[in-house]
């Protein structure tokens, strides 16, 4: 496999990253820029997304940050048009905008449930649907960021479970419909990732964090770079025959509770 940074494997490529003002998605954008891609970023906050783009520009790479709410198709479409006019056809799309809060179903209103479904699921449809006419076809790679909640029913996460399950199915449907145009559609399901807003919300104390790590096969949180490396693989010709898949990058956490010490007597 090529070395992403040594070989600049994304040189000449254009990547559009939704939900990129922070966290995992900004990590992917920064990683892709270092591998040679020009980057367009969107999120709701003009101030935050311009600052995020600046972190990339400050490293000497090309990036533009635009305010767009993924719940608003017209604003997403306008951002794609601006990115296309500036950088040319889009090779890679990352759809990672999301919202989460911890609440029982009886503690969330209809609008609370709808808000997360609108951002995560409808937002992902909007980003992928809007992207199509701006894509460099054949050869484009579309990647959504899903979550283990898509397949693991989780208490206090009914909204996220429903929304992310929808993203997994949308990934497979669009892979079938758009494959003939040479467009690959995949998703990445990160496990718990260190230093992110997502884990700050789900495991806000050191005790909760330690308890989660103790049950993961690889006994640690992942890093933003782990997810960016996975996205990099899916965005190159190394993955040119992969479409419609959900790639787990999770230290084995989706396998289940690996907390028992099965190695105790092994020397
Ligand atoms: P994060 O830093 O809060 O990232 C979420 C991003 O989405 C922010 O940039 C936010 O920016 C943007 N956003 C929110 N609502 C939006 C909207 N309506 N329109 C456009 N942008 C919007 O969280 P993260 O923890 O890195 O999570 C990133 C992705 O990874 C999410 O899809 C999450 O579900 C997934 N994930 C995370 C973990 C984890 O361990 N953290 C695990 C599994 C999956 P603005 O506030 O500026 O809009
Ligand atoms: N418990 C129950 N309901 C909640 C809630 C909580 N902790 N937080 C928000 N809600 C409800 C609100 O009460 C509101 O419902 P209502 O109108 O019936 O009162 C609804 O959700 C929408 O809230 P609002 O604050 O208007 O939404 P928003 O669009 O401004 O923000 C969120 C979206 C709520 C998802 C917000 O947490 C957010 O912006 N998150 C982005 C960052 C993030 O979640 N990162 C982690 C990604 S994994």
């Amino acid at each position: 496999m090529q070395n992403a940074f040594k070989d600049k494997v994304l040189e000449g490529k254009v990547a559009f990253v939704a939900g990129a003002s922070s966290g995992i998605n900004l990590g992917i954008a920064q990683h892709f820029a270092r591998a040679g891609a020009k980057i367009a970023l969107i999120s709701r906050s003009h101030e935050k997304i311009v600052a995020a783009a600046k972190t990339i520009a400050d490293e000497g790479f090309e990036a533009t940050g635009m305010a767009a709410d993924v719940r608003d198709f017209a604003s997403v479409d306008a951002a794609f048009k601006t990115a296309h006019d500036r950088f040319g056809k889009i090779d890679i799309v990352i759809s990672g905008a999301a919202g989460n809060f911890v609440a029982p179903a009886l503690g969330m209103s209809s609008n609370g449930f709808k808000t997360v479904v609108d951002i995560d699921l409808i937002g992902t449809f909007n980003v992928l649907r809007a992207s199509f006419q701006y894509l460099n076809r054949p050869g484009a790679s579309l990647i959504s960021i899903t979550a283990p909640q898509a397949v693991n029913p989780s208490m206090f996460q009914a909204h996220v479970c429903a929304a992310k399950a929808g993203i997994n199915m949308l990934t497979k449907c669009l892979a079938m419909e758009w494959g003939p145009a040479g467009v690959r559609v995949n998703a990445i399901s990160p496990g718990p990732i260190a230093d992110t807003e997502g884990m700050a919300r789900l495991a806000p104390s050191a005790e909760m964090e330690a308890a989660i790590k103790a049950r993961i096969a690889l006994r640690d949180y992942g890093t933003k770079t782990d997810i960016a490396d996975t996205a990099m693989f899916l965005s190159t010709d190394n993955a040119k025959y992969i479409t419609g898949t959900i790639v787990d990058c999770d230290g084995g956490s989706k396998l289940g509770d690996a907390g028992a010490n099965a190695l105790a007597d092994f020397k």
Side-chain angles (χ1 to χ4, degrees):
M1 193 180 294
Q2 292 171 301
N3 178 310
F5 304 118
K6 186 165 143 280
D7 300 333
K8 288 273 182 187
V9 292
L10 299 183
E11 193 77 65
K13 303 283 187 190
V14 179
F16 185 102
V17 186
S21 66
S22 56
I24 289 171
N25 306 316
L26 177 57
I28 293 172
Q30 292 166 333
H31 207 60
F32 280 16
R34 291 174 196 135
K38 293 172 184 157
I39 313 288
L41 308 86
I42 64 165
S43 84
R44 292 168 300 183
S45 158
H46 177 77
E47 193 183 343
K48 281 165 63 182
I49 202 67
V50 167
K54 188 170 181 303
T55 67
I56 295 173
D58 285 349
E59 289 190 49
F61 307 122
E62 277 198 77
T64 184
M66 294 167 277
D69 191 320
V70 296
R71 294 169 285 192
D72 173 8
F73 183 85
S75 78
V76 175
D77 188 63
F80 270 109
K81 184 172 188 320
T82 303
H84 178 266
D85 290 349
R86 175 162 171 187
F87 294 140
K89 288 183 179 169
I90 313 290
D91 300 284
I92 302 161
V93 176
I94 307 291
S95 177
N100 193 1
F101 51 82
V102 176
L106 292 176
M108 72 179 76
S109 65
S110 173
N111 190 46
F113 185 88
K114 179 179 183 296
T115 296
V116 170
V117 172
D118 276 350
I119 298 171
D120 293 28
L121 178 55
I122 309 295
T124 293
F125 179 80
N126 287 343
V127 168
L128 301 183
R129 175 68 183 84
S131 76
F132 194 81
Q133 67 166 312
Y134 303 102
L135 294 177
N136 191 11
R137 294 179 260 132
S141 170
L142 315 186
I143 301 168
S144 297
I145 309 299
T146 182
Q149 290 95 320
V151 291
N152 297 338
S154 311
M155 295 178 74
F156 313 118
Q157 290 281 277
H159 47 354
V160 175
C161 291
K164 295 291 193 181
I167 290 176
N168 285 19
M169 189 53 83
L170 182 64
T171 301
K172 297 171 192 184
C173 293
L174 297 187
M176 293 177 82
E177 293 197 16
W178 296 353
V183 176
R184 294 184 297 108
V185 188
N186 293 292
I188 298 171
S189 181
I193 302 301
D195 304 321
T196 60
E197 181 62 25
M199 287 318 294
R201 290 178 184 221
L202 290 175
S205 70
E207 292 73 22
M208 291 170 86
E209 186 175 320
I212 290 171
K213 287 179 181 172
R215 292 194 296 266
I216 298 175
L218 292 182
R219 293 289 191 270
D220 205 355
Y221 279 6
T223 67
K224 289 173 232 177
T225 305
D226 291 325
I227 305 305
D229 279 333
T230 307
M232 181 86 78
F233 167 68
L234 286 174
S235 301
T236 66
D237 277 353
N238 290 312
K240 68 180 171 38
Y241 203 51
I242 298 178
T243 196
T245 59
I246 314 299
V247 178
D248 297 314
C249 180
D250 66 356
S253 51
K254 203 183 80 181
L255 302 172
D257 184 346
N261 186 359
L263 297 173
D265 298 325
F266 184 78
K267 300 283 182 263

